[in-house]
Amino acid sequence: MHTLVLRRGKSESLSRRHPWIFSGALKPLPDDLKEGEVVRVVSSDGEYLATGHWQIGSIAVRVLSFDDEAIDYAFWHRCLSAAVGLRRTLRLFGESANTACRLVHGEGDGLPGLVIDLYGATAVVQAHSIGMHYARHDIARALTEMDGLYINNVYYKSATTLPEKATLEGEREGFLLKKADVEDVAIENGLRFRIDYLGGQKTGFFVDQRDNRNLVEKYARGRRVLNMFCYTGGFSVYALRGGARHVTSVDSSEAAVALVRENVALNFPEAQNHEAVACDAFRYLADNGKDYDLIILDPPAFAKRVSALKNALKGYTRLNAAAMAQLPPGGLLFTFSCSQAVSPHDFRLAVFTAAARTGRRVRILHQLHQPADHPISIYHPEGEYLKGLVLEVE
Ligand code: SAH
């Protein structure tokens, strides 16, 4: 194992358990360092600081441990057991009303670069770092050995999350383990959703909106609901169960529109009050926004990195203004941002600007977040990525 040395004065964030080491903080690297390998990191005085995965790029080391320990099978087993323990505390297992949850949420579970979602007995593993790519077989094996958790399939889905340019050994996508037919329907709060492991975005479903979808259900009764950026239609299905008068699901992707139709049919085969439209969100809002009194805006991340922040905030303002301008008095707006680079404060400012631009009286009813199975390490506030506001427009 190689040892990397920090430059003098660069150890403060590590001593506060921040899990990233930036490339500029490191002294020149050994020539034979292999991307993805586990490294020990020491201070310029030779004092042990952390162990993690090294990778080319601005985040050079993703810290796995602040103890001088081996990153072996026992390590993965222990970390995954801890992640399972938290979800058990959150009562996300063993209830037939919920078979989907996030089992590992990167830094929030002390495992930067790793995301695992569970859909029944199938785990979908996503590596965001090369080190996690090389650890994937140990992770898959450990997943099958968790006490009280029965996993019989592990699908690896990292084609879009690993650095494109890296030359890697092994496939970026495919089954790591397949003992049974894949159950491709997940249950969330008693509702059924088809999970598209192979073709879908992220791990096939957005489990992070579970609690916020519940809230849409609560307010949907009698309303005409517009679910913008609907993807697999999570919010739409909840709104239908909540007694919405009518629900329209809009996404620019035809594949998403097909999925939302399938999910509505799976839960409400007789529903006559749902339609799904493949259309650009801005165009749909401008042409038809006036027909709705509850609008959900859950766009893709407008800022994938900090350098894109300014334009992203303008995008959020434009989108929210377009929706606010159309809502009738008493209309509700559920608006979200899943950009990690956009802080809750920035997002609120963008929405505030939209309100001021439309001149409407707007009140904040709820402030929404990611659910508890997407925990945020207090030492890594960047992990707070999902932000939402429920607004009433007078
Ligand atoms: N609300 C969804 C997740 C949204 S993901 C859920 O609860 O599961 C973002 C979606 O926005 C993607 O499906 C993408 O196809 C869609 N999208 C991206 N740009 C768009 C645009 N300009 N107009 C409409 N949809 C768009």
Side-chain angles (χ1 to χ4, degrees):
M1 193 194 303
H2 284 100
T3 296
L4 310 188
V5 184
L6 276 193
R7 293 181 191 278
R8 193 164 292 283
K10 292 287 184 188
S11 59
E12 196 182 325
S13 77
L14 264 193
S15 64
R16 292 211 217 103
R17 300 182 83 88
H18 193 284
W20 296 344
I21 301 173
F22 291 97
S23 54
L26 291 168
K27 286 196 174 170
L29 303 168
D31 289 339
D32 56 345
L33 199 55
K34 187 168 161 275
E35 214 180 2
E37 85 171 63
V38 173
V39 292
R40 284 175 84 246
V41 181
V42 299
S43 71
S44 51
D45 302 327
E47 183 198 353
Y48 171 84
L49 294 169
T51 303
H53 283 141
W54 178 73
Q55 186 163 319
I56 297 168
S58 108
I59 303 174
V61 179
R62 288 168 173 81
V63 175
L64 300 166
S65 177
F66 292 95
D67 300 318
D68 203 352
E69 63 177 326
I71 307 300
D72 51 12
Y73 179 73
F75 170 85
W76 297 111
H77 193 279
R78 200 168 56 249
C79 290
L80 292 176
S81 296
V84 167
L86 175 66
R87 276 68 187 175
R88 195 164 279 134
T89 301
L90 300 174
R91 308 180 67 119
L92 284 168
F93 296 144
E95 288 178 26
S96 55
N98 273 304
T99 63
C101 77
R102 175 146 299 188
L103 183 62
V104 171
H105 185 61
E107 288 81 359
D109 283 290
L111 293 170
L114 182 66
V115 163
I116 304 177
D117 285 339
L118 276 188
Y119 301 111
T122 298
V124 182
V125 173
Q126 198 163 60
H128 292 250
S129 72
I130 292 167
M132 287 300 179
H133 175 73
Y134 289 127
R136 69 197 183 286
H137 293 295
D138 273 353
I139 292 167
R141 190 180 132 211
L143 278 172
T144 63
E145 291 176 1
M146 295 290 106
D147 273 347
L149 191 66
Y150 184 66
I151 292 178
N152 56 21
N153 299 311
V154 179
Y155 188 71
Y156 185 56
K157 194 171 189 328
S158 306
T160 58
T161 54
L162 285 167
E164 250 170 67
K165 286 189 202 128
T167 20
L168 293 177
E169 291 154 30
E171 297 297 320
R172 294 170 185 234
E173 189 139 348
F175 280 97
L176 297 175
L177 187 101
K178 192 163 184 284
K179 287 201 216 152
D181 284 343
V182 175
E183 168 68 69
D184 64 355
V185 172
I187 304 174
E188 189 187 87
N189 292 317
L191 293 167
R192 284 146 52 83
F193 294 95
R194 206 176 78 70
I195 309 298
D196 183 9
Y197 303 103
L198 309 182
Q201 303 174 41
K202 302 264 176 117
T203 63
F205 188 61
F206 284 62
V207 281
D208 56 0
Q209 290 285 22
R210 182 195 313 114
D211 296 350
N212 303 331
R213 290 179 184 132
N214 255 335
L215 199 63
V216 164
E217 175 173 0
K218 183 172 155 190
Y219 288 118
R221 182 156 300 283
R223 291 191 182 259
R224 299 160 302 161
V225 175
L226 174 58
N227 179 12
M228 200 56 94
F229 308 94
C230 63
Y231 187 36
T232 58
F235 286 107
S236 306
V237 176
Y238 278 73
L240 287 168
R241 186 166 70 178
R245 176 138 52 106
H246 183 270
V247 179
T248 305
S249 307
V250 177
D251 199 289
S252 55
S253 144
E254 293 277 0
V257 166
L259 265 173
V260 74
R261 287 198 182 114
E262 201 179 329
N263 283 330
V264 168
L266 205 57
N267 292 281
F268 304 106
E270 312 287 320
Q272 299 289 320
N273 57 341
H274 174 259
E275 63 173 335
V277 185
C279 182
D280 171 70
F282 286 95
R283 230 189 63 213
Y284 193 87
L285 269 176
D287 294 347
N288 305 287
K290 285 226 173 329
D291 300 339
Y292 300 94
D293 41 30
L294 191 162
I295 299 180
I296 300 143
L297 300 175
D298 184 23
F302 282 176
K304 291 243 157 59
R305 55 195 81 240
V306 177
S307 57
L309 186 59
K310 213 167 137 202
N311 279 338
L313 293 178
K314 281 189 190 154
Y316 287 119
T317 296
R318 200 159 71 89
L319 180 65
N320 281 280
M324 282 178 201
Q326 302 273 39
L327 279 166
L332 296 179
L333 178 61
F334 282 67
T335 181
F336 296 95
S337 162
C338 61
S339 301
Q340 185 161 329
V342 173
S343 72
H345 175 77
D346 286 339
F347 180 58
R348 199 161 150 165
L349 196 62
V351 176
F352 162 84
T353 310
R357 191 171 293 171
T358 53
R360 306 285 302 268
R361 222 177 105 180
V362 174
R363 292 189 283 180
I364 298 174
L365 307 184
H366 297 271
Q367 306 192 46
L368 307 179
H369 311 275
Q370 64 218 58
D373 54 344
H374 297 58
I376 304 159
S377 160
I378 205 148
Y379 306 111
H380 180 255
E382 297 92 329
E384 184 174 359
Y385 74 103
L386 183 63
K387 305 150 286 282
L389 294 169
V390 183
L391 306 170
E392 187 214 31
V393 180
E394 287 183 34

